[in-house]
Amino acid sequence: MKLIFAIVSSDDSSVVSTALTKEGFSVTKLATTGGFLMSGNTTFIIGTEDEKVDQVIDIVAQHSKKRTQMVPSSTSYGVGLYSSFPIEVTVGGATIFVTDVERFEKV
């Protein structure tokens, strides 16, 4: 048995959730916040058999699209002056962790 943590953009959350449940996977959703852009993410917790891990990863990958976004950035000129300018960053996609489950019970 494996436990999968899949962190996806909140923009992709509903389509990922729908696709996973449509394929029969039980999914728990947690609202999370990323550390770099401080933007909303969704972390999915999915427990599944070892042989279905690749199927889960494929579903998440298909529905988590990378895209670019302009975000404000600031730079310091060393004398107390700051300038703000936009930079382009890649957002979206998914970060997936797969861990072994030593024991599983549903009570």
Side-chain angles (χ1 to χ4, degrees):
M1 177 127 233
K2 300 290 185 185
L3 185 63
I4 302 169
F5 296 92
I7 305 165
V8 302
S9 170
S10 290
D11 295 338
D12 300 324
S13 174
S14 63
V15 293
V16 171
S17 179
T18 300
L20 287 168
T21 55
K22 185 176 180 182
E23 291 297 319
F25 293 102
S26 296
V27 178
T28 298
K29 288 173 51 172
L30 300 174
T32 53
T33 303
F36 176 61
L37 296 176
M38 302 305 277
S39 60
N41 293 324
T42 299
T43 300
F44 292 97
I45 303 173
I46 307 136
T48 191
E49 296 82 18
D50 292 15
E51 60 273 4
K52 292 188 177 182
V53 169
D54 289 335
Q55 183 183 1
V56 170
I57 292 172
D58 288 342
I59 292 169
V60 172
Q62 282 180 317
H63 297 90
S64 301
K65 303 300 179 203
K66 286 188 178 182
R67 51 198 161 272
T68 59
Q69 176 179 324
M70 299 300 283
V71 297
S73 175
S74 61
T75 185
S76 171
Y77 291 111
V79 290
L81 297 174
Y82 292 90
S83 175
S84 180
F85 57 93
I87 59 171
E88 188 174 62
V89 296
T90 301
V91 297
T95 302
I96 301 171
F97 300 92
V98 179
T99 61
D100 290 322
V101 174
E102 192 172 307
R103 182 175 172 174
F104 170 75
E105 291 185 32
K106 210 171 195 177
V107 296

